[in-house]
Amino acid sequence: MSRSSWRSDADPFAFLVARGPVAELTSATSWLQTMLDVEAAIAAAQAATGEIPGEAAATIAAACRVERIDVVAVEASAEQGGVPVIGLVEQLRIAVGSTAAEFVHRGATSQDIVDTAAMAITTRAAAVVGEQLTDAARSVDELAGAYGAAPMIGRTLGQFALPTTFAGVAGRWRRGLGEASAALGDLGASLPVQLGGPVGDAASYGARAADVAAGVAERLRLAVPDGPWSSVRTPIARIAGAWGMVGTVVGDVATQLVALMASDVGELSEGADGAGGSSSMAHKRNPVAAIAARAAAMQLPGLIATLLHAAAGHDFERATGSWHAEWPALNTMLRAGGSAVDWLATSLERVVVDVDRMAANLKVAEAARRR
Amino acid sequence: MSRSSWRSDADPFAFLVARGPVAELTSATSWLQTMLDVEAAIAAAQAATGEIPGEAAATIAAACRVERIDVVAVEASAEQGGVPVIGLVEQLRIAVGSTAAEFVHRGATSQDIVDTAAMAITTRAAAVVGEQLTDAARSVDELAGAYGAAPMIGRTLGQFALPTTFAGVAGRWRRGLGEASAALGDLGASLPVQLGGPVGDAASYGARAADVAAGVAERLRLAVPDGPWSSVRTPIARIAGAWGMVGTVVGDVATQLVALMASDVGELSEGADGAGGSSSMAHKRNPVAAIAARAAAMQLPGLIATLLHAAAGHDFERATGSWHAEWPALNTMLRAGGSAVDWLATSLERVVVDVDRMAANLKVAEAARRR
Amino acid sequence: MSRSSWRSDADPFAFLVARGPVAELTSATSWLQTMLDVEAAIAAAQAATGEIPGEAAATIAAACRVERIDVVAVEASAEQGGVPVIGLVEQLRIAVGSTAAEFVHRGATSQDIVDTAAMAITTRAAAVVGEQLTDAARSVDELAGAYGAAPMIGRTLGQFALPTTFAGVAGRWRRGLGEASAALGDLGASLPVQLGGPVGDAASYGARAADVAAGVAERLRLAVPDGPWSSVRTPIARIAGAWGMVGTVVGDVATQLVALMASDVGELSEGADGAGGSSSMAHKRNPVAAIAARAAAMQLPGLIATLLHAAAGHDFERATGSWHAEWPALNTMLRAGGSAVDWLATSLERVVVDVDRMAANLKVAEAARRR
Amino acid sequence: MSRSSWRSDADPFAFLVARGPVAELTSATSWLQTMLDVEAAIAAAQAATGEIPGEAAATIAAACRVERIDVVAVEASAEQGGVPVIGLVEQLRIAVGSTAAEFVHRGATSQDIVDTAAMAITTRAAAVVGEQLTDAARSVDELAGAYGAAPMIGRTLGQFALPTTFAGVAGRWRRGLGEASAALGDLGASLPVQLGGPVGDAASYGARAADVAAGVAERLRLAVPDGPWSSVRTPIARIAGAWGMVGTVVGDVATQLVALMASDVGELSEGADGAGGSSSMAHKRNPVAAIAARAAAMQLPGLIATLLHAAAGHDFERATGSWHAEWPALNTMLRAGGSAVDWLATSLERVVVDVDRMAANLKVAEAARRR
């Protein structure tokens, strides 16, 4: 049997940086469906305020399914126009049919659709990754419950320092995972819809623009902002901040797992069957999941820098490149962060604690100290 | 008259990236004094819990003044040991005198002092910069009050789009500045003391470690953490997030100021006397403050990446480089962010609105649209 | 007609950051085939030095086709082991059959395969992108030939400065594109094979390790290094440097295109049919390709930071995460850089110069100067 | 004795990131003197081509000493105008006196002075740091000469792998240091003067602009570019690339030193007297210099990202912020890179090799392998 397809031919390293549920949330299909959800929510909110007929909104809602849209045409349009929305709206109007077509995307602009979809996708990613962090914290709780009292040598600047217990290590991990999870919870509760219209003043949505915004937010479970943020990108900065917290916690815990799993230390190991082999050395057992968690987490600071650089350079009412630059950086960052957490949770599930080795190392350290 | 001293010989570009009150908060003198404040607070809290004599704490408090310390010796020690605390404690013990010397730095470790000082300095910087953002927001309110109704052409992707008013522009700025200020407020209320002791388990502080932590936090107006965060750096990530918000808002507002102040647009200008000249063209009037705000804000994403990279790589109980790497990145980031806000506030104070030019440009845009 | 497939479901923004020939060079299929090419080259070089039978090398060469390998099994293995080589070697041994299987991957380690493949892919990408930069330079030459003498106002710090000609602008672009192309040429001629074996000392390749390295290099058109660079990552730094040059030049030229194409300036435009429309404003003509070039180029500094950070953190003989972290950053960087050049070349092909507008703006600027 | 001055009050962490000779090269005094050198070189070159009287050039040369300039006035001007050159030229004209004043800064613009000074300072930094890398390489050669044959266990992914010798480790370090030194040599030989004049077309330098450029380059030992690069920043990208190489090599070697110096490994140590103590644990011996080298090197990727991001965003003939943003990032990067090399050279000088521990660890590893 021979097949020539990788999970995604476009991403040879998906196994490393697109593991876990966030990968699907951030796929092209997910983005297209979410943008359609935004179009449907706008139509529904406008029907509720009486701006468009309820029947039109229902027709639009029914058409807002990615299966009903010619996505190849949408992509071709994106390759021409540099944005996926123009083609999406064209294809949605075709799917909707002639009667309701005029009510599609009413008052809206490309940025409203992309920005609001980005907030919806990020909110979902925050929920999913937050749960994974909670799972990881539970694994740490279990380890701490079973082995917290085990004495071990503390190490600072790489040197034997003073005795401590595994509870000290696990406690720091636990608090960090809890804080990261909480940061994602706060994020998920705060991301706002964008309904600025063509020039970011919401005027195109008419006198009841605020009600439309509230209606869209309710339907998509997003927050209602005080007004458009089309060219002052505070939600992007907030996302970067929360994902930076995720990367920091995963990076630290994974770095410490890797350190404690080193052969020279040997106090922890990843006890998975089948994983961690070597192409040249059959006897080796590598802490693969912790290493992969580190590698995935290391993607974040640079992506966050890109996202912040882009978010900070918006000119006039819609930016000449900075807005577009946010998209791939955001999407890749969400994926890498989610993947890092997934690998970390995997490593924590696999952890085997060697209290004898802890005791032995402690003895060595104490002997060295007395010398 | 001729002098050969720049404000700081070590920072030729301080005029750009170390303007405003944050520069002083982040000086060596401020760091040394703040680290002494931490030592004093620890002693006071330990006196309150009965761990050390009250008299010793009073003697220590009196000695914890940078003027009483041989800072040259401290620096020499830092150049040897790679950390400023060892020499600081030595010199503090000398200043305290023989009786109380044994009560100095009791249970503490270098990291407790540096980390807690970093939190105190950042908290103060957040307060000061938050106020400056509020000042900037007030300038925007004034501009919006005076000129909000002025019609102008909205521009998206650099192209004339649809008419809007200056209120749309100013409203986005206003909300962004408000959010950044709020983010700094949240940050300032959340940064915790670090009292982990030599191996990050707080054991060295004894049975009443939690009370000591609470006492130190109260004295320094910092938060009490659930436990040490010495090797899982969530507060650093939170600082990076908030400063990322500051950089985003300053960057966007300054970019839009610069765009509206371009000769080809001319709808705004910086009306300062004496500023904005050219070394080769006497007729030019450059929007110096807005440009400097952009330049200062552009420093942030890279520094944030450094800070997050460092914060995510802590091994064992104290890191082999990642901890040290945080210090200069944090300090430079605080300065650049504060400087960016200072320059932005300056630019906003100087703004002159040309409603006639807005009207004229709008007419040109409308004519182009009808073609 | 309705299809539900994007070019790549894993990359919703491929239209922006994976345009042009580099996308295919950096696909999973390309990586797998290139890793197989490395295995074949090692076997061939070892046959030439007499280490393995020539027949075995021929059998291996014939099996080193991605179509003959069960790539699904390889990916499953990568998801377990965190590296694609273990599964690849297993599947290659199956494809080779029992007689020659023992000669597959002889003396080699995962890192030799991934690192050498990375060098081969980057070398090809450098060649392709170098050509595209040359194409772009040719477009600039044509524009300069036709319009170089056109007078225009020079603008500094956004302000009208002094008159210049379009030749000044085009000359700076031309030199930059030439330098970037030359930098890629230098890079392509310098990237070395990696043949370090399991612990980076080349000992596993035997007494004729240097000849094997030379043979592999010749077959893959790569350079011969002075020795393994498995844990001191100079070639990665060199790649980052060259791609940084590409991003700088594309960013600057694209930024200037966008600036000259702004409605308020109007001296250039993108004259493509069908491209540059708006979802809400039918009259608009956006400089889509220049904007997309900026957005793609903006991805590079952050990715370069990730790559350099990873490249600088290798511990012992093979790193605990830093090596893995290089892969996605490198691949995404190659794609984004190639895409940026592709978009820029597209924009430059589309450029329409409006010498009348240049003259009119110059007149306005001269009038303003006399005031 | 008590003094209240740190080496630089503006840089509390200078001991970490501004160690060694680059600190002085990048001081405000050095920048001012170098900018004056550029003014003198322009005048001298213009005298040589007959554009200005030789006597005026001599008068200017004599005045171009930082001691003769009111630098406080220059700084005040920079705080107003956002650039140090306007005030510098004013003060230089005062120092020169009325007769020659008109020949000061002739045809030049601020950017010519700052950019050319930046190239001169970087060229000097490259020379100095290149020598330090050569010193470091010499230390490695000595270590390899004395201990290269020592058997030790190779470690990959943190795990015991196969036996190797210290020669393998040292060889990789040696080659990396050599390549980094060579990269700085190439850089130092390539950095060009900038003589673009007010709008980057060199027109202001008259018919013999090319001769003036050549004359300035010769006097400052810089390269002659094909033309101005004022808005397409290839030399900045080249500097970033070379410093990225420095950071990569220092980071890797220092990371490996730290790893081999860990208590659990103990094969190397820093044998300095007086350094490496602890504020809480008298028995500890920390590998301070290697840790500081890591921390300093970790500053580079983020600073490089800032520099590249700034370098890639130049609009029109002189940028609205991106140019200014380069200065502090460049200067801080030069300092941190130089400091990293200085710390690394210090660590390598201090290295003590423990061949017995290598042998003992190897025995442990071999035993583990047979299990």
Side-chain angles (χ1 to χ4, degrees), chain A residues 73-206:
Chain A
V74 175
E75 185 162 38
S77 163
E79 280 166 8
Q80 281 293 311
V83 64
V85 181
I86 301 169
L88 188 79
V89 170
E90 277 171 16
Q91 297 303 318
L92 177 56
R93 288 200 171 115
I94 293 170
V96 156
S98 55
T99 326
E102 66 173 305
F103 300 112
V104 167
H105 196 65
R106 203 161 226 203
T109 191
S110 295
Q111 188 165 5
D112 292 346
I113 309 308
V114 174
D115 279 356
T116 304
M119 295 304 111
I121 285 170
T122 305
T123 296
R124 272 179 252 145
V128 165
V129 176
E131 277 172 40
Q132 290 185 291
L133 286 165
T134 303
D135 289 348
R138 203 171 300 124
S139 294
V140 172
D141 282 340
E142 284 167 23
L143 289 169
Y147 305 102
M152 61 189 290
I153 181 70
R155 295 161 178 96
T156 60
L157 309 186
Q159 307 304 301
F160 292 147
L162 293 175
T164 183
T165 62
F166 185 62
V169 176
R172 292 191 300 271
W173 295 353
R174 181 62 186 76
R175 291 189 291 276
L177 292 164
E179 276 193 60
S181 184
L184 292 185
D186 291 348
L187 183 75
S190 80
L191 294 176
V193 296
Q194 174 77 277
L195 286 171
V199 287
D201 56 8
S204 61
Y205 289 102

Side-chain angles (χ1 to χ4, degrees), chain C residues 114-312:
Chain C
V114 174
D115 280 356
T116 305
M119 295 303 110
I121 285 170
T122 305
T123 297
R124 273 180 252 143
V128 164
V129 177
E131 277 171 40
Q132 290 186 291
L133 286 165
T134 303
D135 289 348
R138 203 169 301 124
S139 294
V140 173
D141 282 340
E142 284 167 23
L143 289 170
Y147 305 103
M152 62 189 289
I153 181 70
R155 294 160 178 96
T156 61
L157 310 185
Q159 307 304 301
F160 293 147
L162 292 176
T164 183
T165 62
F166 185 63
V169 177
R172 291 190 302 270
W173 294 354
R174 181 63 186 75
R175 289 188 293 275
L177 291 164
E179 275 192 61
S181 184
L184 292 184
D186 291 348
L187 183 75
S190 80
L191 295 176
V193 296
Q194 173 79 275
L195 286 172
V199 288
D201 56 9
S204 60
Y205 289 102
R208 299 193 54 190
D211 296 325
V212 174
V216 172
E218 194 193 347
R219 278 162 182 85
L220 298 172
R221 302 180 189 206
L222 292 172
V224 184
D226 288 340
W229 46 277
S230 42
S231 60
V232 181
R233 310 295 285 171
T234 46
I236 299 293
R238 231 173 311 136
I239 295 168
W243 244 252
M245 173 72 87
V246 170
T248 298
V249 171
V250 173
D252 284 333
V253 176
T255 297
Q256 290 161 43
L257 284 167
V258 164
L260 290 164
M261 288 172 177
S263 293
D264 293 283
V265 176
E267 301 180 3
L268 302 183
S269 60
E270 282 190 8
D273 297 325
S278 157
S279 80
S280 55
M281 294 163 282
H283 64 286
K284 278 189 66 181
R285 187 124 310 279
N286 296 315
V288 164
I291 284 171
R294 286 195 80 207
M298 276 185 216
Q299 308 301 308
L300 293 177
L303 290 164
I304 288 169
T306 302
L307 195 55
L308 290 175
H309 189 83

Side-chain angles (χ1 to χ4, degrees), chain B residues 155-162 261-265 281 283-287 291 309 369, chain C residues 155-162 261-265 281 283-287 291 309 369:
Chain B
R155 296 163 178 92
T156 60
L157 310 185
Q159 308 303 302
F160 292 148
L162 292 175
M261 288 171 178
S263 293
D264 293 284
V265 176
M281 293 164 282
H283 64 286
K284 277 190 69 182
R285 187 123 311 276
N286 295 315
I291 285 171
H309 262 308
R369 195 182 174 189
Chain C
R155 294 160 178 96
T156 61
L157 310 185
Q159 307 304 301
F160 293 147
L162 292 176
M261 288 172 177
S263 293
D264 293 283
V265 176
M281 294 163 282
H283 64 286
K284 278 189 66 181
R285 187 124 310 279
N286 296 315
I291 284 171
H309 189 83
R369 195 184 174 186

Side-chain angles (χ1 to χ4, degrees), chain C residues 76-133:
Chain C
S77 164
E79 279 166 10
Q80 281 293 311
V83 64
V85 181
I86 301 168
L88 189 78
V89 170
E90 277 171 16
Q91 297 305 317
L92 177 56
R93 288 200 171 114
I94 294 171
V96 156
S98 55
T99 327
E102 65 171 304
F103 301 111
V104 166
H105 195 65
R106 203 161 227 204
T109 192
S110 295
Q111 188 165 4
D112 293 346
I113 310 306
V114 174
D115 280 356
T116 305
M119 295 303 110
I121 285 170
T122 305
T123 297
R124 273 180 252 143
V128 164
V129 177
E131 277 171 40
Q132 290 186 291
L133 286 165

Side-chain angles (χ1 to χ4, degrees), chain A residues 155-162 261-265 281 283-287 291 309-310 361 369, chain D residues 155-162 261-265 281 283-287 291 305-306 309 369:
Chain A
R155 295 161 178 96
T156 60
L157 309 186
Q159 307 304 301
F160 292 147
L162 293 175
M261 289 172 178
S263 294
D264 293 283
V265 176
M281 293 163 282
H283 64 286
K284 278 191 66 181
R285 187 123 312 277
N286 296 314
I291 285 172
H309 263 309
N361 288 342
R369 197 184 173 185
Chain D
R155 295 160 178 96
T156 60
L157 310 185
Q159 308 304 300
F160 292 148
L162 293 175
M261 288 172 180
S263 294
D264 293 283
V265 176
M281 293 164 283
H283 64 287
K284 279 190 68 182
R285 188 123 311 277
N286 296 313
I291 285 172
T306 302
H309 189 82
R369 195 183 174 188

